[in-house]
């Protein structure tokens, strides 16, 4: 599932190809992708509009249009956006649910095998000028930062395991399974630690690890796992999977102490960690 670094990589790609371009057509073949609106409504609200900016909060993308509307895109589990400059030369991949045509003849195709991904248009903006739905999300570690004070406030009274809090989009937006495990490892805190037992020093390390890990992952254009369901706008896989310290590395030596990496279960969750280095 794409997390902040993958969605940010897609955002940067989209910004390059789409800002200043006019949307000339929309072809929707997957009804579930546009479940909040009909394909006809989406098409009529988008056609003829020019994209003025591409923003992201957590795992959500928002394309700002010249009439004050936003096109919100959520990739969810397996959604991919692909930019195709010569559409006639490249047949549509299986599971292509939306094709958006731009005024330079290129296409942005939305491929989504599991069909949890979503597109919708809204003109309801929150105070920050982003779609109103975004106000339910916690701070974005890249654009808002993760101040230690904020993280401490949000974790102090929670009895849930740390990983459950880190992946709760209302606590911090954009973190999922992969980066939660990597952040906990870097901060040397177990992902199943109860939030209300964290010391201020541990919370400080978590805030700092969040910023460091996510920035590094964005520089390497995100993580593609074995199924390669995450690809960037040009169809390329990411590079950060080679830098994972614990995620998916059960039994391999911990990069710090050499003990085998564990795969632990708590509640319905699974996490990778070093039970020697992480307390
Ligand atoms: Zn270790």
């Amino acid at each position: 599932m794409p997390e902040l670094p993958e969605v940010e990589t897609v955002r940067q790609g989209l910004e390059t190809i789409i800002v200043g371009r006019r949307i000339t057509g929309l072809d929707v073949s997957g009804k579930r992708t546009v479940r909040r609106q009909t394909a006809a409504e989406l098409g009529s609200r988008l056609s003829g509009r020019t994209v003025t900016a591409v923003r992201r909060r957590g795992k959500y993308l928002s394309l700002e249009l010249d009439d004050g509307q936003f096109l919100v895109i959520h990739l969810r589990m397996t959604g991919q956006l692909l930019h195709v400059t010569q559409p006639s030369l490249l047949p549509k991949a299986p599971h292509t649910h939306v094709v958006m045509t731009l005024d330079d003849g290129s296409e942005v195709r939305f491929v989504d095998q599991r069909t949890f991904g979503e597109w919708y248009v809204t003109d309801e903006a929150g105070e920050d000028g982003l779609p109103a739905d975004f106000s339910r999300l916690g701070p974005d570690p890249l654009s808002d930062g993760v101040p230690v004070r904020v993280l401490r406030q949000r974790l102090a009274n929670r009895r849930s395991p740390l990983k459950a809090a880190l992946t709760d989009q209302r606590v911090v937006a954009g973190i999922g399974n992969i980066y939660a495990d990597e952040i906990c490892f870097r901060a040397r805190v177990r992902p199943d630690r109860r939030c209300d037992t964290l010391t201020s020093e541990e919370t400080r390390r978590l805030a700092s690890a969040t910023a460091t890990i996510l920035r590094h992952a964005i520089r390497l254009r995100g993580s593609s796992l074995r199924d390669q369901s995450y690809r960037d706008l040009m169809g390329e896989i990411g590079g950060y999977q080679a830098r994972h310290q614990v995620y998916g590395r059960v039994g391999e030596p911990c990069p710090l102490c050499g003990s085998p990496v564990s795969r632990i279960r708590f509640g319905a969750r699974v996490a990778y960690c070093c039970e020697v280095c992480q307390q």
Side-chain angles (χ1 to χ4, degrees):
M1 180 174 198
E3 303 180 31
L4 188 152
E6 292 78 42
V7 180
E8 174 61 18
T9 303
V10 171
R11 189 203 68 78
Q12 291 172 3
L14 266 180
E15 187 171 56
T16 313
I17 62 123
I18 210 171
V19 170
R21 289 265 162 244
R22 196 162 44 83
I23 299 167
T24 55
L26 194 77
D27 179 17
V28 177
S29 46
K31 283 209 177 87
R32 218 168 108 74
T33 304
V34 298
R35 50 195 174 267
R36 294 199 201 193
Q37 283 147 344
T38 63
E41 185 189 354
L42 199 73
S44 71
R45 289 176 73 166
L46 290 177
S47 289
R49 302 273 58 95
T50 297
V51 179
T52 54
V54 184
R55 304 202 194 280
R56 179 195 54 74
R57 186 170 186 96
K59 305 175 192 174
Y60 290 81
L61 290 165
S62 161
L63 278 61
E64 291 185 23
L65 308 176
D66 59 351
D67 62 350
Q69 299 191 98
F70 307 95
L71 167 60
V72 177
I73 301 178
H74 194 190
L75 305 175
R76 289 272 168 85
M77 299 284 286
T78 54
Q80 298 176 350
L81 288 169
L82 296 170
H83 185 229
V84 180
T85 49
Q86 290 181 290
S88 59
L89 300 181
L90 191 70
K92 282 194 278 182
H95 311 292
T96 300
H97 301 304
V98 182
V99 175
M100 182 163 69
T101 309
L102 304 177
D103 61 357
D104 60 356
S106 72
E107 290 179 354
V108 174
R109 297 179 183 175
F110 184 66
V111 181
D112 187 10
Q113 194 184 349
R114 304 279 302 271
T115 70
F116 290 108
E118 191 178 11
W119 286 42
Y120 66 91
V121 178
T122 178
D123 51 15
E124 288 173 34
E127 279 177 17
D128 51 6
L130 289 168
D133 280 359
F134 284 25
S135 59
R136 293 178 293 118
L137 299 171
D140 182 272
L142 191 65
S143 44
D144 309 325
V146 188
V148 185
R149 181 178 46 78
V150 172
L151 198 59
R152 196 170 290 147
Q153 264 170 14
R154 285 166 186 249
L155 298 180
N157 299 314
R158 293 174 79 101
R159 300 162 63 91
S160 62
L162 175 58
K163 182 166 183 175
L166 287 177
T167 55
D168 180 339
Q169 303 303 298
R170 294 164 301 182
V171 174
V172 181
I175 299 172
N177 273 321
I178 298 175
Y179 297 101
D181 287 1
E182 294 298 314
I183 288 165
C184 289
F185 177 75
R186 190 175 171 92
R188 302 195 306 281
V189 181
R190 290 179 62 106
D192 57 351
R193 264 288 286 285
R194 246 176 66 168
C195 293
D196 58 3
T197 68
L198 293 166
T199 65
S200 347
E201 168 58 21
E202 286 169 334
T203 310
R204 195 195 58 73
R205 291 206 304 261
L206 283 165
S208 147
T210 300
T212 307
I213 298 273
L214 296 178
R215 291 225 159 84
H216 190 194
I218 291 166
R219 275 202 300 280
L220 294 177
R221 309 183 61 74
S223 302
S224 297
L225 301 180
R226 213 164 296 147
D227 65 0
Q228 301 195 345
S229 71
Y230 161 67
R231 290 176 175 265
D232 70 13
L233 206 61
M234 304 304 156
E236 303 289 330
I237 64 169
Y240 193 68
Q241 60 280 0
R243 307 296 178 94
H244 293 173
Q245 307 285 290
V246 287
Y247 184 83
R249 298 189 62 240
V250 62
E252 292 178 45
C254 161
L256 291 179
C257 74
S259 311
V261 169
S262 302
R263 184 170 183 271
I264 58 170
R265 285 184 172 278
F266 43 101
R269 289 173 183 278
V270 167
Y272 297 89
C273 67
C274 173
E275 296 188 84
V276 176
C277 295
Q278 293 172 255
Q279 305 298 314

